[in-house]
Amino acid sequence: MPAVTVENPLTLPRVTAPADAVPRPVLAVTTAPSGFEGEGFPVRRAFAGINYRHLDPFIMMDQMGEVEYAPGEPKGTPWHPHRGFETVTYIIDGIFDHQDSQGGGGTITNGDTQWMTAGSGLLHIEAPPEQLVMSGGLFHGLQLWVNLPAKDKMMAPRYQDIRGGNVQLLTSPDGGALLRVIAGELDGHQGPGITHTPITMIHATLAPGAEITLPWREDFNGLAYVLAGRGAVGAERRPVHLGQTAVFGAGSSLTVRADEKQDSHTPDLEVVLLGGQPIREPMAHYGPFVMNTKDELMQAFEDFQKGRLGTIPAVHGMSEGGL
């Protein structure tokens, strides 16, 4: 799980919560069910079973892989529409091409993030490049859906391609953790992702036995999803492992600790930390559309069916079958 790393974390700025910070308790730990997306792409549904009041402004998150493909096996998604929210695709291992009906697109690979604000709507495809399909190889990533407030749902679509080398790298006081701030800020350190809904997104790697206690905005919610390894969350050290999400309660700091012993194939604890300012608006969600009312959902389907979200390009750089 390379993503972005450094040889000596102690060369990085160090972050810890102030002594008077109020620890966030752990309200729940849930286990993500496994399934398939698109044309048979393996995923874990990280937020399944969590009440939306604890997720807002996040809608869903899929851990894609980790999977080692044989030649000819890589899969992805066919062309599909989006409206009313943002998709955040973070590639930890492997490579992905993306393209939309407005002519946008690009390639993201180890440690890169593609931030797509669907806004008023477009058609989109995500697929591995032909060379990966031919050769096979390791693939691992995340896709996060972030809601947009009603005032921004019909804004013009846009992309941010965030290269791994641009993320803000931080560490804990003892250097036992590497923190990659992809979006938002942590203790005054700003990540490169520009968001309409205020959020923080961090990929943290903790060495065996390492612990982090981070300052966390009190007006944000708090979530921790384990990508790999074993550890504990909260001051109460609630156990967590691969595929589990911890939901934190109110407070101004959150704590994550890596177990002293990890599995042989997972040297460290890998965790994604998420916080966001709840939108607290009605939400109508069905398939690839996230709106405020049922009528808006019906309008989105009608606009899609009538080609108002765009049309699939007659010639494009990847097969319509997707990945």
Side-chain angles (χ1 to χ4, degrees):
M1 189 177 290
V4 176
T5 189
V6 293
E7 285 192 17
N8 182 8
L10 290 173
T11 61
L12 302 172
R14 305 180 197 188
V15 177
T16 192
D20 60 351
V22 178
R24 286 178 173 248
V26 178
L27 301 181
V29 172
T30 63
T31 301
S34 297
F36 295 91
E37 184 57 74
E39 298 176 331
F41 195 77
V43 298
R44 287 186 176 92
R45 304 283 191 197
F47 296 160
I50 300 174
N51 191 296
Y52 183 65
R53 72 176 184 273
H54 298 310
L55 298 178
D56 185 11
F58 307 111
I59 301 162
M60 58 154 277
M61 186 169 72
D62 283 348
Q63 180 179 7
M64 307 181 294
E66 183 174 0
V67 58
E68 183 77 44
Y69 282 123
E73 282 188 345
K75 296 180 174 68
T77 64
W79 285 94
H80 55 281
H82 287 306
R83 173 180 278 181
F85 64 103
E86 300 183 285
T87 67
V88 183
T89 306
Y90 174 49
I91 301 301
I92 300 167
D93 289 296
I95 186 168
F96 232 20
D97 287 340
H98 57 92
Q99 184 178 358
D100 71 29
S101 53
Q102 298 190 348
T107 299
I108 48 176
T109 186
N110 301 344
D112 295 342
T113 301
Q114 181 248 315
W115 203 293
M116 183 180 77
T117 303
S120 60
L122 42 62
L123 304 183
H124 186 240
I125 187 173
E126 297 154 312
E130 186 177 353
Q131 65 267 27
L132 179 62
V133 176
M134 297 293 291
S135 66
L138 184 63
F139 186 84
H140 190 197
L142 281 178
Q143 187 167 94
L144 172 71
W145 289 13
V146 185
N147 203 3
L148 288 169
K151 65 182 180 63
D152 293 329
K153 282 194 178 295
M154 295 299 287
M155 68 177 294
R158 73 167 187 184
Y159 278 109
Q160 299 171 71
D161 279 318
I162 302 168
R163 298 303 164 189
N166 293 332
V167 302
Q168 174 70 62
L169 299 179
L170 306 169
T171 192
S172 51
D174 63 0
L178 175 61
L179 309 172
R180 307 166 186 86
V181 184
I182 297 168
E185 65 88 26
L186 181 64
D187 198 29
H189 301 278
Q190 191 74 34
I194 299 169
T195 70
H196 291 278
T197 304
I199 75 164
T200 295
M201 180 179 182
I202 298 165
H203 173 194
T205 301
L206 284 73
E211 182 174 289
I212 52 173
T213 298
L214 303 179
W216 211 251
R217 279 180 50 167
E218 292 188 68
D219 60 335
F220 277 21
N221 59 2
L223 301 161
Y225 176 73
V226 181
L227 289 165
R230 296 179 175 275
V233 287
E236 61 269 47
R237 294 195 176 182
R238 183 91 170 261
V240 289
H241 59 74
L242 166 65
Q244 290 191 316
T245 301
V247 179
F248 291 91
S252 56
S253 71
L254 56 79
T255 297
V256 179
R257 178 180 175 81
D259 284 357
E260 295 281 355
K261 292 184 178 181
Q262 299 291 333
D263 298 334
S264 59
H265 62 282
T266 306
D268 302 307
L269 174 66
E270 305 280 352
V271 62
V272 173
L273 303 173
L274 296 169
Q277 192 171 62
I279 296 173
R280 304 204 191 287
E281 293 177 351
M283 185 179 70
H285 172 204
Y286 189 83
F289 304 123
V290 183
M291 306 303 293
N292 292 98
T293 68
K294 184 178 178 181
D295 286 347
E296 289 171 344
L297 271 187
M298 293 173 66
Q299 185 65 54
F301 273 103
E302 179 182 329
D303 289 347
F304 168 54
Q305 290 166 348
K306 293 188 175 180
R308 296 173 187 147
L309 301 190
T311 56
I312 298 172
V315 178
H316 49 80
M318 59 187 76
S319 66
E320 288 189 21
L323 168 103

